[in-house]
Amino acid sequence: MVVRSRMFVTGGLALLLAGTAQAKPNQAGLDRFAADLKLTYRVLDNRPAPEACKPDPSCMLAQIALTAPAAPEAGWSLYFSNVNRVLAAGGDDFTLTNINGDLYRLTPTASFTGFKPGQPIVVPLRIEGQQLSELYPMPNAYVAGEGLAARTIDSTRPVIDPETALETLPFVIPFTDEAKLAGRSAHDLTVWATAPRLYAANAGATLQPVPRGAILPTPLKTQLGEGSLDLSRGIAVSLSDFAKSDVTAALAHLGVAEAKAGAPLRITKAKTQPGGYRLTIDGQGVTIAAGDGEGAANGLASLAQLVDAKRSVPRLTIEDAPRFGFRGMHIDVARNFHSKAEILAILDQMAAYKLNKLHLHLGDDEGWRVEIAGLPELTEIGGRRCHDLSERTCLIPQLGAGPEGAGPVNGFFSRADYIAIVRAAKARHIEVIPSFDMPGHSRAAIKAMEARAARLRAEGKPEAEAGRYLLSEAADKSAYRSIQHYTDNTINVCLPSSYAFIGKVIDEMARLHKEAGAPLKRYHIGADETPGAWSGSPACQAYEAKTGIKPADLGGHFIEKVSGMVAARGVIPAGWSDGMTHAKAERMPARVHSNYWGDLGGDGSVAAHSQANQGWEVIISTPNVLYFDSPQAADPKERGYDWPSRSTDTRKVFAFMPENLPVHAEVYAGLDGRPQTTKDPHPLNPGVRFVGLQGQLWSETVRSDAQVDYMLYPRLLALAERAWRAADWEAPYTAGKAYAHDTGALTQDQRDRRDADWNAFANLLGQRELARLDAAGVAYRVPTVGAVIQDGKLRANVEFPGLAVEYRVEGGAWRPYVQDAPVSGRVEVRARSADGKRAGRSLSLQ
């Protein structure tokens, strides 16, 4: 038996079966059903023949299977999410309804006759796009009945693997058919990252000694001396023209205690580039000279990496300064919440590797994550997802949040939490940039303000007060669907109350920063919009009659108006490059920050070049390389969205050349694994540079703090390297030049130097830096191992030389790898973390 329906789906798999309104189940019966129901999800084909997709030009095929000994007689429901739009579902037993966004409902029809023990009901699905990972589906499907507490279906709960501590989704049938599941189409050359393929990819990473004085990110100039300085008795710190607060956090992470009788550590003022420093270690002690507190802290961060197990450091001189003044990391806590403790831990690692901007994404469709004084609904409702379709107590459970409103994906930062984060960032010379996406991607705020208005009206408050911060218009008949399939996620930009809300939020965020002692410098408005919004709004029709601004131009008008509001408060307005293109430069403030997130292929550099040429501060944030929610390998067991990249490993980030965007046609294949071309129709003007580099971690598929660590590290270290240091192997920018994979702008000598540079970097991670992350409690991704069997002998390698490798045969005991170990049958290989305490995911080969 199967389902028949036509609808849209996003998210993963979270199900609610809705039954007829006959005899209702009781709570005990619903609980038993949730415990007994077995749900599986299988991707059948990511590139079926065109005939299978008609009337749509392309699709993927999947199926849901439901097995239960029995079901409540009627009145029960089952809801699910899916990251792709469902085009059709077959059969007569169920209908499928999109609630909103990625939440859907299956409803038994009159034809449904119930479950038979051991006989699955199969629901075939024809879906838009592809699902290339077993971790695409969302967990926590649930059943519900009217008047009853909804219950998560036990078979759809995520499970933590005891060997690796990684989350698995046992209800998703493992991918085994590479021909049908690895690619987006028959044109796609992508193959899975199997052990033999990784063995070839890792060939350039060979074990070599880590040089004395090696630091990450690599300094501009290092001159090694003879011998070492003993710090085992501690350090005696003296400051000249610096406050102790400038270096307190950096000293706390030095790994050497302060002591009056310790080796002298002098921190003095000198003329350097902002953030730069000079570090001198000689027989007289340690001297750090810097022009500002950030530079002094950066010098201490370098010193911390030099301290060995005996508490000694090599004698040397370092002269160092950053490539970019803006070296950022974006963390999304809106889609799924992540804890204050995790953000504070990230700040520690950012400071250790000299990143200085934390772009904290606090508001989106799926959540509002910071307390705003006077607007409690923002966090009481917008900070929580549960089974309340009226959304008067919480948002609907998107992204597999489950029905209970509990768990780590829910939550928010109190005012005290946020102040603590900003204070911790300030102590580490990191600027916090708050981000609330608008006018699109604003559903959490919209629903919260609707709930506020409803509460105040019920209390008898006047409409002027109830509607003061409304972001939506009850009479608006606009019909649209956002990229994430929402029909109501865009702020009505023609309402005065919308601007009252925005002004209130900006002012409250500025107060939080002031209380933290770090004035708000940048405020990110996102600038996403939704085509079709406002077309049926009476308020916008009246606004057009008054101003002449048509609905199609309202997005740009909104960006200009809000940017002016931000700038009027002495703050730099920021947004994403595509939305910002709708604003007219002459109507924008003098200083504008734009995160470029265009594609590296084709003429994708146009927005970056054009906006930099008009004087905007452009931050390179390209998804192809810098979206750390992309998978780290083309492997169906790797987490992440793959629309920007099928594989973004640490080496790919390391090889990025941020000041020459078009050249990457020579370095990276396209999304289908085939060569790509680029052109530069809008060259950078002479002397114009990008302001900085930023990594992004969006959190739709990242549901826990441990998963944040897995996705961030060690890629964050390669980001830090490229943001701080311009490598001598990078191809210089040539205005107007077009590229292909064989253009030859990157010479063989440059490629050889890049590969040698990578090998040194990889060894530094494998032999030192990953151990530092272990000591800090960072659960970074342990790389999968490359391996081949040649003449009955096992040969293995790993991305970061120095990590221990293990193997086992036919499911036996794990043993340390030795080269050319004799093996036969099924062999598994895996690496261990630098401290040996965690196992990486294993790969198999014959």
Short mmCIF file of all heavy atoms in Angstrom, two decimals, residues 609 659-660 662-663 680 683-684 731-739 745:
data_model
loop_
_atom_site.label_atom_id
_atom_site.label_comp_id
_atom_site.label_asym_id
_atom_site.label_seq_id
_atom_site.Cartn_x
_atom_site.Cartn_y
_atom_site.Cartn_z
N HIS A 609 33.67 41.80 -7.10
CA HIS A 609 34.46 42.85 -7.73
C HIS A 609 33.68 44.16 -7.79
O HIS A 609 34.21 45.24 -7.49
CB HIS A 609 34.87 42.42 -9.13
CG HIS A 609 35.87 41.31 -9.14
ND1 HIS A 609 36.34 40.74 -10.30
CD2 HIS A 609 36.51 40.65 -8.13
CE1 HIS A 609 37.22 39.79 -10.00
NE2 HIS A 609 37.32 39.72 -8.69
N GLU A 659 42.42 36.21 -3.08
CA GLU A 659 42.56 37.48 -3.80
C GLU A 659 42.60 37.30 -5.32
O GLU A 659 42.89 38.24 -6.04
CB GLU A 659 43.80 38.21 -3.29
CG GLU A 659 43.65 38.59 -1.82
CD GLU A 659 44.77 39.46 -1.30
OE1 GLU A 659 44.66 40.69 -1.42
OE2 GLU A 659 45.76 38.90 -0.78
N ASN A 660 42.27 36.09 -5.77
CA ASN A 660 42.16 35.83 -7.21
C ASN A 660 41.04 34.81 -7.40
O ASN A 660 41.29 33.61 -7.55
CB ASN A 660 43.48 35.29 -7.77
CG ASN A 660 43.45 35.16 -9.29
OD1 ASN A 660 42.41 35.34 -9.91
ND2 ASN A 660 44.59 34.85 -9.88
N PRO A 662 38.74 34.26 -9.93
CA PRO A 662 38.55 33.52 -11.18
C PRO A 662 39.52 32.36 -11.40
O PRO A 662 39.20 31.41 -12.11
CB PRO A 662 38.72 34.60 -12.26
CG PRO A 662 38.43 35.89 -11.57
CD PRO A 662 38.94 35.70 -10.18
N VAL A 663 40.72 32.41 -10.80
CA VAL A 663 41.74 31.40 -11.08
C VAL A 663 41.34 30.01 -10.62
O VAL A 663 41.94 29.01 -11.05
CB VAL A 663 43.08 31.81 -10.44
CG1 VAL A 663 43.07 31.53 -8.94
CG2 VAL A 663 44.25 31.10 -11.10
N ASP A 680 35.99 37.09 -16.11
CA ASP A 680 36.07 38.24 -15.21
C ASP A 680 35.57 39.49 -15.93
O ASP A 680 36.35 40.39 -16.26
CB ASP A 680 37.52 38.42 -14.74
CG ASP A 680 37.68 39.52 -13.69
OD1 ASP A 680 36.67 39.92 -13.10
OD2 ASP A 680 38.82 39.97 -13.48
N PRO A 683 36.32 43.48 -13.75
CA PRO A 683 37.58 43.34 -13.00
C PRO A 683 37.65 44.28 -11.81
O PRO A 683 37.00 45.33 -11.76
CB PRO A 683 38.65 43.71 -14.05
CG PRO A 683 37.96 43.65 -15.37
CD PRO A 683 36.54 43.98 -15.12
N LEU A 684 38.47 43.90 -10.86
CA LEU A 684 38.78 44.79 -9.75
C LEU A 684 39.56 45.99 -10.26
O LEU A 684 40.45 45.84 -11.11
CB LEU A 684 39.63 44.07 -8.69
CG LEU A 684 38.92 43.13 -7.72
CD1 LEU A 684 39.95 42.39 -6.88
CD2 LEU A 684 37.97 43.91 -6.81
N ALA A 731 48.54 32.32 -7.26
CA ALA A 731 48.58 32.99 -8.56
C ALA A 731 48.08 34.42 -8.41
O ALA A 731 46.97 34.64 -7.92
CB ALA A 731 47.72 32.24 -9.58
N PRO A 732 48.85 35.41 -8.79
CA PRO A 732 48.42 36.81 -8.65
C PRO A 732 47.23 37.11 -9.56
O PRO A 732 47.08 36.53 -10.64
CB PRO A 732 49.65 37.61 -9.04
CG PRO A 732 50.45 36.70 -9.90
CD PRO A 732 50.20 35.31 -9.39
N TYR A 733 46.39 38.03 -9.10
CA TYR A 733 45.21 38.42 -9.87
C TYR A 733 45.61 39.19 -11.13
O TYR A 733 46.44 40.11 -11.06
CB TYR A 733 44.29 39.27 -9.01
CG TYR A 733 43.11 39.85 -9.75
CD1 TYR A 733 42.07 39.03 -10.20
CD2 TYR A 733 43.02 41.21 -10.01
CE1 TYR A 733 40.98 39.55 -10.88
CE2 TYR A 733 41.93 41.75 -10.68
CZ TYR A 733 40.92 40.92 -11.12
OH TYR A 733 39.84 41.44 -11.80
N THR A 734 45.01 38.83 -12.26
CA THR A 734 45.18 39.56 -13.52
C THR A 734 43.81 40.03 -13.96
O THR A 734 42.93 39.21 -14.27
CB THR A 734 45.80 38.67 -14.60
OG1 THR A 734 47.07 38.18 -14.15
CG2 THR A 734 45.98 39.44 -15.90
N ALA A 735 43.58 41.32 -13.99
CA ALA A 735 42.27 41.87 -14.29
C ALA A 735 41.76 41.41 -15.64
O ALA A 735 42.48 41.47 -16.65
CB ALA A 735 42.33 43.40 -14.24
N GLY A 736 40.53 40.92 -15.67
CA GLY A 736 39.86 40.53 -16.90
C GLY A 736 40.22 39.17 -17.44
O GLY A 736 39.67 38.75 -18.47
N LYS A 737 41.11 38.43 -16.79
CA LYS A 737 41.58 37.15 -17.33
C LYS A 737 40.54 36.05 -17.12
O LYS A 737 39.92 35.96 -16.07
CB LYS A 737 42.89 36.74 -16.67
CG LYS A 737 43.52 35.48 -17.25
CD LYS A 737 44.90 35.22 -16.65
CE LYS A 737 45.51 33.92 -17.16
NZ LYS A 737 45.67 33.91 -18.62
N ALA A 738 40.37 35.22 -18.14
CA ALA A 738 39.49 34.06 -18.07
C ALA A 738 40.34 32.81 -17.84
O ALA A 738 41.51 32.75 -18.22
CB ALA A 738 38.69 33.92 -19.36
N TYR A 739 39.73 31.79 -17.22
CA TYR A 739 40.48 30.60 -16.86
C TYR A 739 39.70 29.33 -17.20
O TYR A 739 38.47 29.31 -17.23
CB TYR A 739 40.79 30.58 -15.35
CG TYR A 739 41.68 31.70 -14.89
CD1 TYR A 739 41.14 32.93 -14.50
CD2 TYR A 739 43.06 31.54 -14.82
CE1 TYR A 739 41.95 33.97 -14.05
CE2 TYR A 739 43.88 32.57 -14.39
CZ TYR A 739 43.32 33.77 -14.01
OH TYR A 739 44.13 34.78 -13.57
N ALA A 745 47.91 29.29 -15.49
CA ALA A 745 48.33 30.45 -14.70
C ALA A 745 49.08 30.03 -13.45
O ALA A 745 49.99 30.70 -12.99
CB ALA A 745 47.10 31.29 -14.33
#
